[in-house]
Amino acid sequence: MRLFAAAAALCVTTSALAAELRISNQNAANQGFNDTTAATPVGLNFGTTKGAQAVIDFQYAAAVWGAVLKSPVPIVIDAAFVTAAQDSNMTCNATTGLLGYTHPNNFVTGAELPNHTAGYVAALANALLGRETTPGQAHIFTRFNAGIGGATCLAGTGWYYGLDGVAAPGQASLLTTLLHEFAHGLGFTSFVNPTTGDNSNAPAIFDFHVFDETRQSNWAGYTAAQRKPLLTAGNELSFDGASVAAEAATYLSNQPVLDFAGGGAAPSEAQYLPGQFSGPVPDAGASQSIVPAAPLDACSDLTSTFNGSLALIERGTCNFYDKAQRAQAAGASGVVVFDNDAGSLITMASVDGGVPLDVPAVFITNNDGNAVLQRLDGGTVTATFGASSHLSNTDPAQTRVLLYTPPVASSGSTLSHWNAGSFPRTLLMEPFIGASTRLDLDLTPNSFADMGWPVVTGLSVGMSKAEAPTLSDGEEVKYLVAIVNRRTADVAGVQLDLTLPAGATFVSAAGLNAFACAALPCAVGTVTASSVLPLVVTLKAPSTAVFPFVVTAQISAPGTDANDNLSATISVDKTAAASSGGGGCSTGGVPAALVVLLAFGVAIRARRRPAVSAK
């Protein structure tokens, strides 16, 4: 098993330290990590080939999760990029395909676990028991499509490798995708067949937190016949847990809406998303009349007279930016574009560096747009920008967050994601509905805490050695550091320091927004609430280094307490020696009281259609 690098903390016997996630690759011919195509460093990712940048993204995602979770047992992730010839799941064409999929390798049950009737993913079982329950096996299995972006596989798409998570239109952030996918392997997954409702093994610990809103009960004890209709019922299933309930309002907000009135119909509201090129969208304001564009798709000169009204435009044919520009030039006070097909909300992308409009430009669904057209048949229609009175994607009590149960069940999507109504978009929403650019992990660690994971709730640090898992005497090496603030308040005065092996020297540290540090300790400054701050630290090994080469990252700030995890340690072997990836823990046999269940058929697939589109 090839280990790219050890990530997060040195494997020790106490659960007080952050978890260690190791990225392994057993596919010698994989097409992603070994890709020598030249690449320009972007978003703090310093790799100069696509393969190197992919490795760095994986290692940084491991550092982020390692900073948040606690476990004395390393978490091994079997990762590779594969072609359709190597994995038929990756078969695709120019318009549809699979970017990747992830599943936990095994579930573990036993009387020693807190809920002896539940199946725990192996990584969580290890964290709770303090020992390896599946010796010799990776804990998480993940595969990504090596053909993405080619002429015959989702042409025009591709991966964005920056560590800031902000992808350009047509690209998917590899980092945020990895944070999402790792979460499935760490436990955000059900063992229930979403098509039949059947559960051939013990319910996953996740299922003990799936709540039936109609019957007001947990569904872990339901029969397949009772579960099946709930899987396609819309907003009937939610996640029930004290930690999620306590933090729901921290990461979710009231959904922005347009309130419609007039046209001989009862008032209604429609959710919207502003375009990337939108002018300021008012939080609230006076009602404005709405006028359909002529032609309705606004792809040629408009004959409409808007006179300060909102323009209603149908998606299709030409790009969003050109449509909106024509409407603004024709006197529209704002632009409302509705989808030309059924689907979820998307973000309208700018094109060719287009400057923002002076007026708001928002997107609504096909159903909502057609409802407005029908209203207009009955007379004047007005629209008002506002916000829903209810916390988005929550139950009536606004404490349980709704799970994804679309009308057509999908083995790769249903249940194991937050529902489509989350605003702002959350990391564990189904990616093809709307890719998240958030690195803060939002509610995911809270759901993990409810399932039993030991979770850092304050300020924490994770670390990975970048690129190769070993080093040579005299080599200049880089480490990826993730400073994570899980508090709901900013933390000021944060500093980073390092404990280095004898003879090793600090070269520099770099971060986003031109942050640079040339001497230790580094004054990082304020880490905002619920955020992740990436840093790249460069060190110089001595000409004769002592191995293992052990580096500890330490952060400090005023007012830290027991909720914080302020250090992470990486141990590295010499390049010429066989590397274990940074140490190991007990891998004794599985006790008879524990049963390991193979996680067949629970792959979490990330089918993608663009959540950000130019047209």
Side-chain angles (χ1 to χ4, degrees):
M1 183 161 61
R2 290 175 58 202
L3 291 174
F4 286 118
L10 181 66
C11 185
V12 293
T13 57
T14 173
S15 62
L17 297 181
E20 176 187 6
L21 281 73
R22 298 178 181 174
I23 308 302
S24 95
N25 169 244
Q26 301 181 50
N27 182 356
N30 85 81
Q31 306 296 306
F33 297 132
N34 297 336
D35 190 339
T36 59
T37 303
T40 302
V42 59
L44 206 61
N45 190 325
F46 54 86
T48 56
T49 67
K50 285 187 176 180
Q53 290 190 352
V55 169
I56 290 165
D57 270 332
F58 270 77
Q59 292 166 330
Y60 186 68
V64 173
W65 272 119
V68 173
L69 302 178
K70 301 177 185 179
S71 177
V73 183
I75 301 166
V76 178
I77 302 172
D78 180 354
F81 284 80
V82 291
T83 64
Q86 295 168 312
D87 184 339
S88 61
N89 288 307
M90 301 307 177
T91 302
C92 57
N93 58 41
T95 58
T96 60
L98 189 68
L99 288 190
Y101 64 94
T102 302
H103 62 73
N105 254 357
N106 299 301
F107 284 83
V108 178
T109 65
E112 297 176 72
L113 291 163
N115 184 336
H116 65 271
T117 63
Y120 289 76
V121 298
L124 174 53
N126 295 347
L128 293 171
L129 298 175
R131 64 174 183 272
E132 178 61 76
T133 58
T134 57
Q137 298 185 46
H139 306 106
I140 298 172
F141 181 94
T142 187
R143 291 292 181 266
F144 289 84
N145 197 333
I148 293 298
T152 60
C153 187
L154 295 174
T157 64
W159 292 114
Y160 172 73
Y161 295 100
L163 302 186
D164 52 7
V166 182
Q171 290 185 314
S173 166
L174 181 57
L175 176 58
T176 54
T177 302
L178 291 170
L179 294 173
H180 173 114
E181 295 297 317
F182 288 2
H184 290 308
L186 291 165
F188 201 97
T189 185
S190 169
F191 216 15
V192 170
N193 183 315
T195 303
T196 65
D198 183 56
N199 187 15
S200 57
N201 293 294
I205 188 62
F206 177 89
D207 288 301
F208 281 89
H209 293 276
V210 177
F211 192 80
D212 178 352
E213 289 292 339
T214 299
R215 295 181 178 86
Q216 290 289 290
S217 65
N218 179 274
W219 88 335
Y222 283 13
T223 65
Q226 290 172 314
R227 284 190 293 261
K228 182 178 178 180
L230 296 173
L231 290 161
T232 54
N235 299 331
E236 293 298 322
L237 293 178
S238 61
F239 186 94
D240 187 29
S243 182
V244 167
E247 295 296 330
T250 299
Y251 297 101
L252 297 175
S253 302
N254 294 9
Q255 173 72 46
V257 295
L258 278 168
D259 293 307
F260 295 107
S268 63
E269 68 178 27
Q271 297 181 359
Y272 71 80
L273 284 179
Q276 291 180 343
F277 51 82
S278 175
V281 178
D283 294 329
S287 297
Q288 303 175 68
S289 60
I290 189 163
V291 174
L296 191 58
D297 67 2
C299 286
S300 58
D301 291 342
L302 295 172
T303 59
S304 313
T305 302
F306 295 110
N307 293 327
S309 298
L310 296 170
L312 181 68
I313 298 173
E314 185 177 29
R315 179 185 187 183
T317 311
C318 60
N319 70 62
F320 292 124
Y321 186 64
D322 287 347
K323 294 172 184 280
Q325 275 193 315
R326 289 189 185 97
Q328 177 179 269
S333 61
V335 178
V336 179
V337 179
F338 69 97
D339 209 337
N340 58 352
D341 199 359
S344 303
L345 294 174
I346 65 167
T347 298
M348 300 183 294
S350 296
V351 293
D352 302 324
V355 297
L357 302 180
D358 296 324
V359 300
V362 302
F363 187 86
I364 63 176
T365 66
N366 176 266
N367 284 342
D368 289 333
N370 281 316
V372 175
L373 287 176
Q374 290 177 359
R375 278 180 175 275
L376 286 165
D377 289 337
T380 300
V381 175
T382 61
T384 307
F385 287 98
S388 170
S389 60
H390 190 86
L391 191 65
S392 68
N393 200 41
T394 59
D395 71 317
Q398 303 186 81
T399 57
R400 290 186 294 271
V401 181
L402 300 177
L403 296 167
Y404 185 51
T405 51
V408 179
S410 168
S411 61
S413 301
T414 294
L415 194 61
S416 298
H417 295 91
W418 298 123
N419 207 6
S422 295
F423 179 82
R425 298 192 184 281
T426 49
L427 185 70
L428 259 295
M429 281 178 64
E430 170 54 77
F432 77 74
I433 294 172
S436 171
T437 59
R438 295 169 66 164
L439 304 181
D440 58 17
L441 307 179
D442 49 67
L443 286 166
T444 317
N446 300 98
S447 70
F448 283 174
D450 287 325
M451 287 185 271
W453 268 105
V455 174
V456 179
T457 59
L459 187 69
S460 62
V461 61
M463 183 168 62
S464 302
K465 180 187 177 297
E467 302 178 296
T470 59
L471 62 84
S472 303
D473 291 333
E475 183 182 355
E476 189 170 275
V477 294
K478 296 185 185 296
Y479 288 78
L480 306 170
V481 176
I483 300 177
V484 182
N485 180 11
R486 291 290 300 166
R487 299 183 188 180
T488 57
D490 296 352
V491 179
V494 177
Q495 287 194 324
L496 170 70
D497 208 346
L498 299 169
T499 300
L500 304 179
T505 56
F506 172 78
V507 177
S508 64
L512 298 173
N513 302 318
F515 171 84
C517 174
L520 293 173
C522 293
V524 175
T526 298
V527 181
T528 57
S530 305
S531 69
V532 178
L533 180 68
L535 298 173
V536 177
V537 174
T538 304
L539 307 176
K540 178 78 170 178
S543 56
T544 303
V546 175
F547 291 94
F549 190 86
V550 180
V551 175
T552 297
Q554 301 151 327
I555 55 174
S556 60
T560 56
D561 57 34
N563 294 316
D564 303 312
N565 186 78
L566 303 178
S567 67
T569 301
I570 295 294
S571 177
V572 178
D573 290 332
K574 194 170 185 178
T575 298
S579 173
S580 66
C585 295
S586 171
T587 57
V590 180
L594 293 174
V595 178
V596 178
L597 307 172
L598 295 180
F600 294 139
V602 294
I604 307 301
R605 306 180 187 278
R607 292 181 180 85
R608 302 291 175 92
R609 71 182 183 93
V612 179
S613 179
K615 59 169 61 174

XYZ file of all heavy atoms in Angstrom, residues 273-335:
439
model
N -31.589 32.480 -6.100
C -30.151 32.643 -5.909
C -29.678 33.801 -6.781
O -30.015 33.856 -7.966
C -29.390 31.374 -6.301
C -29.443 30.190 -5.339
C -28.648 29.015 -5.908
C -28.887 30.575 -3.973
N -28.896 34.735 -6.223
C -28.374 35.824 -7.045
C -27.285 35.323 -7.983
O -26.543 34.392 -7.671
C -27.803 36.808 -6.012
C -27.518 35.966 -4.811
C -28.515 34.864 -4.808
N -27.167 35.925 -9.163
C -26.111 35.592 -10.101
C -24.786 36.181 -9.672
O -24.729 37.142 -8.885
N -23.696 35.632 -10.213
C -22.368 36.153 -9.885
C -22.201 37.593 -10.344
O -21.390 38.334 -9.791
C -21.302 35.275 -10.524
C -21.185 33.892 -9.920
C -20.116 33.053 -10.586
O -19.660 33.367 -11.698
N -19.709 31.965 -9.945
N -22.957 38.001 -11.352
C -22.830 39.349 -11.914
C -23.917 40.282 -11.385
O -24.056 41.412 -11.857
C -22.930 39.281 -13.443
C -24.122 38.518 -13.933
C -25.367 39.112 -14.008
C -24.004 37.189 -14.296
C -26.478 38.401 -14.438
C -25.101 36.463 -14.736
C -26.349 37.076 -14.803
N -24.686 39.825 -10.410
C -25.805 40.624 -9.907
C -25.333 41.904 -9.251
O -24.280 41.946 -8.592
C -26.603 39.803 -8.892
O -27.628 40.585 -8.303
N -26.133 42.963 -9.411
C -25.950 44.143 -8.598
C -26.480 43.871 -7.205
O -26.937 42.759 -6.902
N -26.447 44.848 -6.309
C -26.917 44.629 -4.931
C -28.363 44.169 -4.908
O -29.231 44.732 -5.581
C -26.752 46.015 -4.288
C -25.713 46.711 -5.124
C -25.926 46.217 -6.518
N -28.613 43.113 -4.122
C -29.973 42.611 -3.947
C -30.508 43.164 -2.640
O -29.900 42.965 -1.581
C -29.996 41.064 -3.914
C -31.423 40.567 -3.688
C -29.435 40.504 -5.209
N -31.623 43.858 -2.651
C -32.137 44.445 -1.402
C -32.584 43.369 -0.426
O -33.111 42.319 -0.819
C -33.322 45.298 -1.877
C -33.737 44.687 -3.177
C -32.482 44.162 -3.812
N -32.350 43.597 0.866
C -32.844 42.679 1.881
C -34.366 42.694 1.919
O -35.019 41.695 2.180
C -32.295 43.050 3.255
C -30.795 42.850 3.334
O -30.291 41.956 2.647
O -30.143 43.591 4.084
N -34.908 43.841 1.676
C -36.363 44.016 1.623
C -36.614 45.335 0.898
O -35.707 46.135 0.685
C -36.968 44.043 3.023
N -37.809 45.544 0.510
C -38.075 46.803 -0.181
C -39.501 46.880 -0.644
O -40.326 45.992 -0.380
N -39.800 47.936 -1.385
C -41.141 48.139 -1.904
C -41.419 47.149 -3.022
O -40.514 46.664 -3.698
C -41.278 49.576 -2.405
N -42.682 46.857 -3.205
C -43.075 45.954 -4.283
C -42.783 46.600 -5.638
O -42.919 47.812 -5.815
C -44.573 45.640 -4.187
O -44.858 44.962 -2.988
N -42.364 45.772 -6.586
C -42.111 46.232 -7.953
C -42.923 45.382 -8.919
O -43.050 44.169 -8.733
C -40.628 46.090 -8.298
C -39.687 46.831 -7.367
C -38.233 46.545 -7.703
O -37.731 46.947 -8.746
N -37.567 45.836 -6.808
N -43.472 46.005 -9.923
C -44.186 45.225 -10.926
C -43.184 44.406 -11.719
O -41.996 44.728 -11.797
C -44.974 46.155 -11.849
O -44.104 47.063 -12.507
N -43.683 43.314 -12.288
C -42.821 42.431 -13.058
C -43.384 42.292 -14.464
O -44.601 42.119 -14.650
C -42.662 41.065 -12.358
C -41.595 40.213 -13.035
C -43.978 40.318 -12.238
C -41.098 39.056 -12.186
N -42.492 42.398 -15.458
C -42.896 42.404 -16.866
C -42.115 41.333 -17.608
O -40.886 41.278 -17.486
C -42.628 43.785 -17.505
C -42.895 43.760 -19.007
C -43.481 44.862 -16.826
N -42.795 40.464 -18.380
C -42.060 39.461 -19.143
C -41.287 40.088 -20.283
O -41.756 41.034 -20.927
C -43.161 38.529 -19.656
C -44.393 39.367 -19.683
C -44.258 40.338 -18.554
N -40.074 39.583 -20.529
C -39.270 40.070 -21.646
C -39.890 39.617 -22.959
O -40.556 38.584 -23.036
C -37.845 39.548 -21.529
N -39.667 40.393 -23.991
C -40.082 40.013 -25.342
C -38.895 40.262 -26.280
O -38.504 41.413 -26.454
C -41.299 40.830 -25.779
N -38.289 39.175 -26.825
C -38.652 37.770 -26.631
C -38.354 37.310 -25.204
O -37.511 37.878 -24.519
C -37.780 37.055 -27.650
C -36.584 37.935 -27.796
C -37.111 39.337 -27.688
N -39.037 36.230 -24.788
C -38.968 35.795 -23.398
C -37.571 35.348 -22.997
O -37.190 35.499 -21.841
C -39.978 34.666 -23.160
C -40.226 34.265 -21.709
C -40.721 35.451 -20.883
C -41.216 33.108 -21.626
N -36.775 34.816 -23.956
C -35.423 34.375 -23.586
C -34.404 35.501 -23.632
O -33.249 35.314 -23.256
C -34.979 33.202 -24.461
C -34.773 33.579 -25.924
O -34.942 34.768 -26.283
O -34.460 32.676 -26.725
N -34.805 36.689 -24.077
C -33.933 37.878 -24.102
C -32.615 37.617 -24.813
O -31.578 38.167 -24.431
C -33.685 38.386 -22.681
N -32.648 36.804 -25.858
C -31.423 36.505 -26.609
C -31.291 37.347 -27.868
O -30.397 37.117 -28.687
C -31.378 35.017 -26.958
S -30.986 33.972 -25.529
N -32.179 38.324 -28.044
C -32.074 39.289 -29.140
C -32.612 40.609 -28.626
O -33.041 40.712 -27.461
C -32.858 38.799 -30.368
O -34.215 38.577 -30.048
N -32.591 41.634 -29.448
C -33.032 42.948 -29.002
C -34.427 42.879 -28.402
O -35.339 42.253 -28.959
C -33.028 43.921 -30.184
C -31.618 44.243 -30.661
O -30.673 43.999 -29.886
O -31.462 44.704 -31.803
N -34.609 43.545 -27.264
C -35.871 43.487 -26.547
C -36.856 44.535 -27.066
O -36.475 45.685 -27.345
C -35.634 43.713 -25.056
C -34.797 42.634 -24.344
C -34.475 43.070 -22.920
C -35.541 41.307 -24.322
N -38.096 44.118 -27.171
C -39.154 45.069 -27.538
C -39.984 45.457 -26.323
O -40.920 46.243 -26.443
C -40.068 44.445 -28.604
O -40.652 43.236 -28.086
C -39.279 44.119 -29.873
N -39.644 44.893 -25.171
C -40.387 45.186 -23.938
C -40.123 46.615 -23.477
O -39.045 47.174 -23.707
C -39.968 44.228 -22.825
O -39.930 42.910 -23.274
N -41.105 47.168 -22.779
C -40.942 48.451 -22.104
C -41.036 48.188 -20.608
O -42.105 47.861 -20.085
C -42.033 49.445 -22.537
O -41.967 49.620 -23.950
C -41.836 50.789 -21.839
N -39.924 48.323 -19.911
C -39.901 47.959 -18.495
C -40.218 49.147 -17.588
O -40.894 48.985 -16.563
C -38.540 47.359 -18.130
C -38.260 46.051 -18.819
C -37.295 45.953 -19.805
C -38.985 44.914 -18.499
C -37.033 44.759 -20.437
C -38.742 43.707 -19.132
C -37.765 43.630 -20.107
N -39.693 50.316 -17.912
C -40.003 51.521 -17.124
C -39.819 51.303 -15.620
O -40.672 51.634 -14.806
C -41.433 52.002 -17.397
C -41.606 52.512 -18.808
O -40.679 53.079 -19.395
N -42.794 52.294 -19.377
N -38.687 50.682 -15.240
C -38.398 50.494 -13.827
C -39.005 49.255 -13.213
O -38.948 49.080 -11.994
N -39.595 48.386 -14.026
C -40.137 47.129 -13.524
C -39.058 46.043 -13.560
O -38.027 46.183 -14.218
C -41.330 46.676 -14.378
O -42.376 47.612 -14.311
N -39.330 44.949 -12.864
C -38.459 43.783 -12.941
C -38.712 43.033 -14.238
O -39.871 42.894 -14.665
C -38.720 42.837 -11.758
C -38.409 43.361 -10.353
C -38.949 42.383 -9.303
C -36.920 43.559 -10.171
N -37.656 42.549 -14.868
C -37.789 41.789 -16.114
C -37.824 40.297 -15.794
O -36.958 39.781 -15.079
C -36.623 42.101 -17.037
N -38.818 39.586 -16.319
C -38.914 38.133 -16.187
C -38.404 37.499 -17.477
O -38.938 37.769 -18.559
C -40.353 37.710 -15.927
C -40.585 36.203 -15.755
C -39.937 35.709 -14.470
C -42.083 35.882 -15.762
N -37.360 36.664 -17.369
C -36.676 36.117 -18.541
C -36.552 34.606 -18.389
O -36.255 34.111 -17.297
C -35.272 36.748 -18.696
C -35.381 38.257 -18.912
C -34.494 36.101 -19.833
C -34.055 38.979 -18.901
N -36.732 33.887 -19.486
C -36.576 32.430 -19.469
C -35.147 32.052 -19.836
O -34.538 32.633 -20.744
C -37.545 31.774 -20.455
C -37.512 30.253 -20.395
C -38.529 29.607 -21.315
O -38.862 30.225 -22.352
O -38.994 28.495 -21.003
N -34.629 31.062 -19.139
C -33.294 30.545 -19.434
C -33.286 29.891 -20.821
O -34.262 29.304 -21.245
C -32.907 29.522 -18.376
C -31.551 28.878 -18.578
C -31.321 27.780 -17.545
N -29.964 27.237 -17.606
C -29.523 26.245 -16.856
N -30.346 25.673 -15.984
N -28.282 25.821 -16.958
N -32.127 29.940 -21.497
C -31.992 29.208 -22.753
C -31.250 29.976 -23.822
O -31.281 31.210 -23.883
N -30.552 29.245 -24.669
C -29.912 29.692 -25.912
C -28.674 30.543 -25.700
O -27.564 30.176 -26.092
C -30.902 30.446 -26.822
O -32.097 29.678 -26.953
C -30.286 30.698 -28.189
N -28.810 31.718 -25.077
C -27.660 32.605 -24.906
C -27.279 32.671 -23.433
O -27.984 32.155 -22.563
C -27.962 33.997 -25.449
S -29.354 34.809 -24.629
N -26.154 33.338 -23.141
C -25.681 33.325 -21.753
C -26.467 34.305 -20.874
O -27.048 35.283 -21.345
C -24.168 33.555 -21.684
C -23.748 34.956 -22.058
O -24.132 35.924 -21.406
N -22.956 35.079 -23.121
N -26.466 33.995 -19.596
C -27.224 34.775 -18.628
C -26.804 36.243 -18.609
O -27.635 37.142 -18.491
C -27.038 34.193 -17.220
C -27.658 32.852 -17.006
C -26.892 31.780 -16.571
C -29.007 32.649 -17.205
C -27.462 30.541 -16.339
C -29.592 31.415 -16.978
C -28.816 30.351 -16.555
N -25.513 36.468 -18.701
C -25.013 37.830 -18.567
C -25.545 38.724 -19.682
O -25.969 39.867 -19.442
C -23.487 37.804 -18.567
C -22.838 39.148 -18.292
C -23.006 39.787 -17.073
C -22.038 39.765 -19.256
C -22.409 41.009 -16.812
C -21.431 40.987 -19.003
C -21.623 41.602 -17.779
O -21.022 42.813 -17.522
N -25.563 38.195 -20.905
C -26.074 38.988 -22.028
C -27.564 39.278 -21.863
O -28.034 40.382 -22.145
C -25.826 38.257 -23.348
C -24.367 38.265 -23.763
O -23.588 39.036 -23.164
O -23.994 37.487 -24.663
N -28.329 38.291 -21.404
C -29.757 38.504 -21.161
C -29.965 39.661 -20.184
O -30.774 40.572 -20.409
C -30.383 37.240 -20.550
C -30.425 36.001 -21.415
C -30.906 34.808 -20.567
C -30.882 33.497 -21.317
N -32.047 33.344 -22.193
N -29.240 39.569 -19.059
C -29.419 40.550 -18.003
C -28.979 41.944 -18.452
O -29.617 42.948 -18.120
C -28.646 40.117 -16.767
N -27.893 42.013 -19.211
C -27.432 43.309 -19.724
C -28.485 43.963 -20.618
O -28.728 45.168 -20.533
C -26.129 43.135 -20.510
C -24.871 43.145 -19.667
C -23.641 43.298 -20.542
O -23.513 42.650 -21.577
N -22.739 44.164 -20.138
N -29.106 43.164 -21.493
C -30.144 43.707 -22.380
C -31.308 44.265 -21.568
O -31.840 45.344 -21.873
C -30.646 42.621 -23.339
C -29.658 42.218 -24.402
C -30.314 41.306 -25.454
N -29.311 40.849 -26.400
C -28.681 39.676 -26.325
N -28.988 38.831 -25.333
N -27.772 39.338 -27.204
N -31.705 43.531 -20.514
C -32.823 43.993 -19.705
C -32.473 45.275 -18.950
O -33.287 46.205 -18.872
C -33.235 42.895 -18.723
N -31.270 45.342 -18.417
C -30.851 46.560 -17.714
C -30.830 47.739 -18.667
O -31.311 48.836 -18.326
C -29.476 46.349 -17.090
C -28.929 47.604 -16.398
C -27.562 47.388 -15.766
O -27.453 47.022 -14.614
N -26.506 47.598 -16.540
N -30.290 47.521 -19.877
C -30.226 48.604 -20.854
C -31.616 49.055 -21.288
O -31.809 50.218 -21.688
C -29.423 48.155 -22.077
N -32.603 48.158 -21.189
C -33.972 48.498 -21.593
C -34.779 49.109 -20.451
O -35.983 49.325 -20.595
C -34.681 47.248 -22.115
N -34.123 49.384 -19.320
C -34.786 50.091 -18.238
C -35.335 49.230 -17.126
O -36.097 49.719 -16.273
N -34.948 47.948 -17.065
C -35.431 47.088 -15.990
C -34.749 47.450 -14.679
O -33.553 47.755 -14.639
C -35.177 45.628 -16.333
N -35.521 47.396 -13.580
C -34.956 47.689 -12.258
C -34.306 46.453 -11.638
O -33.668 46.543 -10.594
C -36.059 48.185 -11.322
O -37.058 47.178 -11.157
N -34.481 45.310 -12.287
C -33.899 44.059 -11.824
C -34.252 42.959 -12.807
O -35.109 43.137 -13.684
N -33.594 41.826 -12.681
C -33.771 40.728 -13.615
C -34.092 39.456 -12.833
O -33.380 39.095 -11.891
C -32.495 40.513 -14.460
C -32.654 39.324 -15.399
C -32.144 41.780 -15.237
